[in-house]
Amino acid sequence: MVCGDALALGPGSLVSVLPDTHVGMAELRFHELGLDLRLVKAVADLGWEKPTLIQEKAIPLGMDGKDLLARARTGSGKTAAYAIPIIQGLLQDKMTLSEQAVRVLILVPTKELGHQVLQMVRQLTTYCARDIKIADISGQADISAQRPILMEKPDIVVGTPSRVLLHINQKTLCLRESLRALVIDEADLIFSFGFEEDLKNLLCQLPNIYQSYLMSATFNEEVKALKELVLHNPVILKLEESQLPDSSQLLQYHIRCEEEDKFLLLYTLLKLSLIRGKTIIFVNEVERSYRLKLFLEQFSIPSCVLNSELPVQSRCHIIAQFNQSCYDYIIASDEHVLGEKGKKRTGKKRKGKSEKGQDSEYGVSRGIDFHNVSTVINFDLPLSVDSYIHRAGRTARANNPGAALSFVASSELPMLQEIEEALGEGGSKGCVLRPYRFPTEDLEGFRYRCRDAMRSVTKQSIKEARLKEIKEELLNSQKLKTYFDDNPRDLVLLRHDKPLHPAIVKPHLKNVPEYLIPPSLRTVAQPLQKRKKKRMHPGSSKAPSAKKGKTQNPLRTFKYNKGTKRRPPAKKQKPE
Ligand code: AMP
């Protein structure tokens, strides 16, 4: 799964329905775009050498005051494509206008995306943070806690349509007089997350004239309808190629395996380090994410779970830590795929939490910027093509390489076919899922230990782990009190919580004896425990001594209990 070199997309891959003057625009650098120096400096700090394609086209148009409809795939740099001209415009406004007011509204479908947009704008305004205030109201904070923030009239407000509308209705936010720009980010998802009605109501509360940016991964019927509603004589920017990078940047594989084999294969890939680098493992249900986490725990493979049950602050924190390379594996449950297939939510009587306590504004495969993900694994194949694209789009972002590997059970074959047909239609050469050639028949030696681990992960242990996780995350959450105010039932649950008994981690499964490694994999395998031995102890400058490591290996020495008859240690002990 080691990927080839990153591919720099050529300027020809962007089709722009642009005025003639813009067609064939030379490749520009940020400092050549006429931006405020504070912006250029912030971009330089981010280490961005030059604009991405969408940025190169969108920034000058945005600065010209044009309405924009941009179809750009995830990871194309579209956040900065609208944020940079918006910040530039605000900095110019500030030179003449003294009154503080909310001038920009950025609508997002999920809280995670709201947080991400906030971070990006903060980074871009590093050198003008005094001039430009930004607030993200998409988070779960109590609405009354957000009132003082809005009273300060931040220049930019980021939020989900329902939360923004709530504030408008409560008169804590008024945009009728001051709004100069509206952004609808991930517009297609705004609909699939059920915000349609809130969005329409919200649009009635805006002034007649303002600049609009509509960013969307797909141009479906709903986005087209929205275009009529919010854009005036827009410039349309779209990437001609498939929504995913081609095979020189993103390698896409599939492998046939039934349920038990999925666990067996994942264990092998991770334990033998056959997949290296940061990896997101997608499953379709929260329950499965914990099953998988507990399964991996049995082998001392650490992973963290990301799902809609966790408080939003924890979710954002997990993503931030993953981006800082605190851990390698995230098991994400992409539950929205289920809703997509079924009935579309109307948006009426929306609540922050669904009946099962899951956050309906959660979306981890959508638009979230996980940094430097080398591999995406679809442990469960998603239930829609769009979902596949969003998941695979978590890797190979910007100009980085990546790989997506899908485990496909026979019941998932029709979906695989749908995905392949849809990606093939994109017309992009090489944008298909290749069979992942792997000697699965050689993994029988691992089967017994995998079955053993799978048996330990009972429904009860999953339930306990789930409860333990949410309890810990809630305690970790900075806004603990606010969360309990919003979710009093959780507090009751926690107060009557029983002691937890998560599945017992079996020390003997931590190591992979060499004789078990299939000969076909010996040259490439790097069993995890070997790498761990080399690690330094925290706070010490020395690696653990080899001697200590030796005595801990049960295959080389034996420890006898008191009273056990001593025998001379076997010179070359053959493993059982
Ligand atoms: P986005 O599509 O906005 O989610 O951005 C995807 C990733 O690309 C983010 O990690 C950005 O920091 C990064 N990015 C955005 N613009 C550039 C650029 N011009 N050069 C390099 N990386 C960029």
Side-chain angles (χ1 to χ4, degrees):
M1 305 291 289
V2 181
C3 306
D5 286 341
L7 172 85
L9 295 175
S13 55
L14 185 78
V15 162
S16 35
V17 184
L18 295 164
D20 279 347
T21 47
H22 286 94
V23 176
M25 182 165 50
E27 214 180 64
L28 295 172
R29 303 250 158 185
F30 281 105
H31 67 270
E32 293 167 316
L33 292 172
L35 298 172
D36 189 289
L37 277 182
R38 290 168 286 182
L39 257 172
V40 177
K41 228 170 141 193
V43 166
D45 282 1
L46 285 165
W48 299 353
E49 277 180 32
K50 56 180 185 182
T52 62
L53 283 175
I54 197 79
Q55 290 166 359
E56 188 190 53
K57 303 289 178 189
I59 293 171
L61 290 164
M63 284 163 64
D64 273 0
K66 296 269 190 304
D67 276 8
L68 279 183
L69 171 56
R71 190 183 85 174
R73 65 165 190 247
T74 54
S76 57
K78 61 191 160 81
T79 315
Y82 65 75
I84 289 177
I86 278 176
I87 297 165
Q88 175 71 22
L90 283 172
L91 288 173
Q92 270 164 359
D93 283 358
K94 293 264 165 180
M95 292 200 272
T96 50
L97 302 172
S98 54
E99 198 190 335
Q100 184 64 32
V102 178
R103 294 203 162 82
V104 177
L105 175 64
I106 302 175
L107 295 175
V108 289
T110 64
K111 294 160 184 172
E112 287 85 353
L113 192 58
H115 183 75
Q116 191 176 296
V117 170
L118 177 84
Q119 298 302 325
M120 174 59 70
V121 177
R122 283 219 173 116
Q123 283 171 323
L124 290 170
T125 52
T126 309
Y127 296 101
C128 49
R130 276 187 178 188
D131 294 304
I132 296 180
K133 305 264 178 288
I134 171 162
D136 171 23
I137 55 166
S138 60
Q140 201 143 35
D142 180 10
I143 189 146
S144 56
Q146 292 178 340
R147 271 186 209 126
I149 300 168
L150 290 176
M151 271 170 67
E152 286 184 19
K153 299 193 177 152
D155 302 274
I156 303 174
V157 169
V158 184
T160 56
S162 56
R163 188 46 73 104
V164 171
L165 188 65
L166 202 64
H167 277 290
I168 290 178
N169 289 340
Q170 295 200 356
K171 310 232 178 307
T172 35
L173 178 64
C174 179
L175 301 166
R176 224 179 252 287
E177 303 295 323
S178 58
L179 194 79
R180 73 184 296 282
L182 168 74
V183 179
I184 305 182
D185 200 353
E186 302 276 352
D188 48 345
L189 298 180
I190 293 259
F191 288 96
S192 63
F193 276 64
F195 287 119
E196 189 175 353
E197 205 166 295
D198 286 343
L199 181 63
K200 283 182 182 158
N201 290 333
L202 198 159
L203 291 175
C204 300
Q205 306 290 330
L206 305 185
N208 289 335
I209 298 172
Y210 53 88
Q211 185 184 14
S212 301
Y213 297 81
L214 203 58
M215 318 302 284
S216 187
T218 49
F219 278 175
N220 56 24
E221 288 309 310
E222 288 149 332
V223 174
K224 282 179 193 155
L226 192 58
K227 172 184 157 223
E228 302 304 321
L229 221 56
V230 296
L231 300 175
H232 310 279
N233 200 16
V235 175
I236 301 171
L237 300 173
K238 58 178 177 175
L239 290 166
E240 186 187 36
E241 55 177 17
S242 139
Q243 292 173 64
L244 290 172
D246 73 21
S247 60
S248 53
Q249 187 182 356
L250 172 67
L251 295 167
Q252 297 181 75
Y253 297 100
H254 67 86
I255 183 162
R256 282 286 308 276
C257 45
E258 299 307 323
E259 180 69 355
E260 183 178 292
D261 292 348
K262 286 188 176 188
F263 285 85
L264 178 61
L265 181 59
L266 187 71
Y267 160 74
T268 312
L269 292 175
L270 300 189
K271 195 68 189 173
L272 301 187
S273 298
L274 299 174
I275 280 181
R276 290 165 202 162
K278 289 200 277 182
T279 301
I280 305 179
I281 304 155
F282 279 107
V283 292
N284 288 349
E285 288 159 23
V286 178
E287 195 263 358
R288 265 175 97 63
S289 64
Y290 285 104
R291 183 176 291 281
L292 204 48
K293 181 184 161 70
L294 292 185
F295 169 77
L296 294 177
E297 255 175 32
Q298 307 269 308
F299 303 104
S300 304
I301 301 173
S303 64
C304 76
V305 154
L306 194 59
N307 63 54
S308 58
E309 286 182 350
L310 301 173
V312 66
Q313 292 87 1
S314 299
R315 277 155 24 201
C316 292
H317 192 233
I318 288 169
I319 295 167
Q321 283 192 327
F322 183 71
N323 286 344
Q324 288 161 9
S325 300
C326 292
Y327 32 73
D328 282 340
Y329 309 125
I330 280 193
I331 304 168
S333 55
D334 187 18
E335 306 128 57
H336 262 289
V337 289
L338 302 173
E340 266 168 28
K341 276 261 155 177
K343 217 176 92 199
K344 199 166 259 180
R345 288 169 299 147
T346 61
K348 281 181 189 172
K349 293 178 190 168
R350 282 184 62 83
K351 277 184 184 170
K353 291 262 162 177
S354 72
E355 278 169 35
K356 283 181 183 170
Q358 293 170 350
D359 190 344
S360 54
E361 291 172 16
Y362 159 85
V364 87
S365 77
R366 322 306 176 90
I368 298 303
D369 186 22
F370 291 96
H371 297 174
N372 304 321
V373 175
S374 62
T375 311
V376 162
I377 295 180
N378 285 316
F379 191 82
D380 294 329
L381 203 61
L383 302 185
S384 75
V385 176
D386 270 2
S387 224
Y388 178 85
I389 292 169
H390 279 289
R391 286 184 186 187
R394 297 311 98 205
T395 182
R397 288 172 80 76
N399 290 330
N400 296 318
L405 170 63
S406 298
F407 294 1
V408 187
S410 41
S411 59
E412 294 170 313
L413 281 173
M415 192 63 235
L416 175 68
Q417 200 181 341
E418 228 182 280
I419 292 168
E420 287 193 304
E421 278 167 15
L423 293 183
E425 268 170 26
S428 173
K429 204 177 146 224
C431 193
V432 282
L433 281 74
R434 294 185 221 158
Y436 183 50
R437 300 198 188 288
F438 193 84
T440 36
E441 60 287 351
D442 293 349
L443 303 186
E444 288 311 307
F446 291 145
R447 191 175 292 279
Y448 179 77
R449 49 178 46 214
C450 278
R451 273 193 190 149
D452 195 19
M454 283 172 82
R455 263 197 302 271
S456 305
V457 185
T458 59
K459 278 192 174 170
Q460 184 58 24
S461 64
I462 292 172
K463 202 173 150 192
E464 286 167 358
R466 215 163 150 167
L467 213 55
K468 185 179 175 192
E469 176 94 332
I470 193 164
K471 182 180 171 184
E472 279 178 5
E473 288 303 331
L474 284 172
L475 292 171
N476 288 342
S477 175
Q478 294 164 347
K479 295 181 182 168
L480 184 63
K481 186 185 171 305
T482 321
Y483 181 85
F484 282 141
D485 287 345
D486 284 351
N487 305 273
R489 273 190 61 227
D490 285 351
L491 185 60
V492 174
L493 251 179
L494 287 172
R495 281 189 179 168
H496 296 90
D497 205 2
K498 287 183 240 157
L500 300 176
H501 303 288
I504 299 151
V505 176
K506 296 188 175 72
H508 73 281
L509 292 181
K510 185 176 176 181
N511 298 325
V512 190
E514 269 183 41
Y515 72 93
L516 268 186
I517 300 176
S520 53
L521 297 176
R522 278 189 192 151
T523 48
V524 279
Q526 285 183 10
L528 279 178
Q529 85 275 15
K530 283 198 170 169
R531 290 193 310 166
K532 205 162 187 188
K533 264 192 217 165
K534 282 182 203 156
R535 274 192 202 157
M536 304 283 182
H537 281 312
S540 101
S541 55
K542 280 186 183 173
S545 74
K547 202 180 165 194
K548 198 176 172 195
K550 254 188 184 175
T551 55
Q552 282 171 346
N553 186 341
L555 290 179
R556 296 196 185 189
T557 57
F558 286 102
K559 257 190 178 176
Y560 296 95
N561 292 331
K562 259 187 189 172
T564 311
K565 206 178 167 189
R566 273 183 176 267
R567 278 184 291 176
K571 265 188 182 169
K572 269 191 184 172
Q573 189 66 41
K574 264 205 164 180
E576 287 157 31

